[in-house]
Amino acid sequence: MPVHNAQAGTRESERSPIVSVRNLDKRFGDLEVLRDINIDVHPQEVVCVIGASGSGKSTLLRCVSFLEPYSEGRVYIEGNLLGYRETTNGLVPDSQRSIDRVRQNVGMVFQHFNLWPNKTALGNVTLALRLVRGMSRDDADEHGRSTLEKVGLADKAAMYPSQLSGGQQQRVAIARALAMDPKLMLFDEPTSALDPELVGEVLNVMKAVAAEGMTMMVVTHEMGFAAEMADRVVFMEQGEIIEDDTPRRIFRESENPRLRSFLQTWKERNALFEQD
């Protein structure tokens, strides 16, 4: 088990999950992209979701945050149904206000940074603090600067996104999400839009966030990060969860032929690196 969760790990099964997904399906017209998904994520767990492009990983994360309404099943955040209400006639769409209330403790970081180009790094971090949390500008700025310091960007607070590297922009996006003090962080391939030399700085920030006990769901192609930091690794194929197990079993002991085939290239590349 990863060291960041060594003490808490023995208690995970005794605690209510922050995320609970039950029999989740998602269709775009006749195309079924998620099929009968069941997964729990407990407090302080880091769950990495891996799989080939088009396997449904990002769609799952978008359904968990209800950025994408799901077609069937249920998603619970801290025990609260997200996106719908239970009625005698089944599920009906919930109000936007209720949706926002249920997911108020969820932060999300996307592939692309989605920063406001006309606002500084500090302005991007503090905007939601003022508009959503109602903080004064002075309090928001103080909290925002502290959060930027956590991601190693205290000296970039006054810079605009165009003045920052891709890795720095993604770290601002992480700071923006962290500033809202979420209980759950969702990362959707946060390094896929970065040049290889910038990937490490973002992964290091994510490792630090995990080490502080943040609950995380991470869709990633970075197998090294998943092997090192995850408590569980979920392997998806064609909209289904094929494997859900510890990193050791996923990366070293699985006998699933599709998973072994998926990991083979990474393993070969990693073996060559270790020989150098």
Side-chain angles (χ1 to χ4, degrees):
M1 178 172 291
V3 294
H4 75 270
N5 202 21
Q7 295 179 346
T10 58
R11 300 191 298 272
E12 295 300 342
S13 62
E14 301 172 6
R15 305 173 68 180
S16 298
I18 287 185
V19 177
S20 186
V21 177
R22 291 291 174 267
N23 307 116
L24 185 73
D25 288 4
K26 172 61 184 177
R27 293 182 295 274
F28 292 103
D30 294 331
L31 178 63
E32 189 175 36
V33 294
L34 294 177
R35 186 180 309 109
D36 197 28
I37 299 293
N38 291 277
I39 186 173
D40 288 335
V41 180
H42 289 84
Q44 297 185 331
E45 271 195 312
V46 175
V47 176
C48 286
V49 185
I50 65 173
S53 297
S55 60
K57 308 183 303 296
S58 292
T59 301
L60 172 59
L61 218 63
R62 292 180 66 83
C63 287
V64 167
S65 62
F66 209 71
L67 294 177
E68 193 69 63
Y70 46 93
S71 303
E72 293 182 22
R74 287 162 175 75
V75 173
Y76 298 93
I77 304 293
E78 298 183 281
N80 299 302
L81 181 62
L82 175 64
Y84 299 95
R85 291 184 292 109
E86 300 271 10
T87 72
T88 54
N89 296 320
L91 296 183
V92 298
D94 209 346
S95 68
Q96 189 61 50
R97 183 176 182 180
S98 293
I99 292 170
D100 291 339
R101 176 183 56 79
V102 171
R103 65 184 180 190
Q104 65 182 333
N105 292 323
V106 179
M108 188 160 185
V109 178
F110 303 88
Q111 298 178 34
H112 302 288
F113 322 127
N114 297 331
L115 299 178
W116 297 101
N118 62 334
K119 292 189 178 297
T120 64
L122 182 62
N124 270 278
V125 172
T126 59
L127 183 63
L129 292 173
R130 293 190 290 111
L131 296 182
V132 178
R133 294 290 170 86
M135 296 177 71
S136 69
R137 181 178 293 275
D138 287 346
D139 288 344
D141 283 355
E142 182 180 357
H143 187 54
R145 291 181 188 280
S146 176
T147 310
L148 283 172
E149 185 175 6
K150 284 185 177 181
V151 300
L153 292 175
D155 60 334
K156 306 295 183 184
M159 291 190 173
Y160 290 87
S162 62
Q163 298 173 303
L164 301 173
S165 70
Q168 290 169 337
Q169 290 183 61
Q170 189 62 292
R171 284 190 280 159
V172 172
I174 293 173
R176 177 178 57 187
L178 288 175
M180 300 296 285
D181 297 321
K183 294 181 181 179
L184 168 70
M185 286 283 287
L186 306 177
F187 293 86
D188 184 12
E189 299 187 16
T191 60
S192 65
L194 300 177
D195 293 334
E197 64 182 351
L198 301 177
V199 169
E201 65 185 67
V202 173
L203 292 180
N204 286 337
V205 168
M206 293 172 63
K207 290 175 183 178
V209 171
E212 291 184 351
M214 177 64 71
T215 309
M216 296 165 56
M217 284 188 72
V218 184
V219 168
T220 184
H221 290 295
E222 298 294 335
M223 297 298 106
F225 176 85
E228 178 185 356
M229 296 303 298
D231 296 288
R232 285 166 39 223
V233 178
V234 172
F235 175 62
M236 294 188 66
E237 173 78 354
Q238 296 183 346
E240 296 182 299
I241 292 178
I242 305 301
E243 295 276 347
D244 180 350
D245 217 322
T246 64
R248 180 178 182 86
R249 291 190 61 83
I250 291 291
F251 288 101
R252 299 185 183 182
E253 301 173 359
S254 175
E255 297 182 359
N256 183 289
R258 180 63 189 102
L259 174 57
R260 290 170 67 91
S261 174
F262 173 78
L263 292 173
Q264 187 61 34
T265 300
W266 174 78
K267 287 184 175 181
E268 290 174 353
R269 190 168 64 242
N270 194 53
L272 287 173
F273 174 77
E274 290 178 348
Q275 292 172 8
D276 291 340

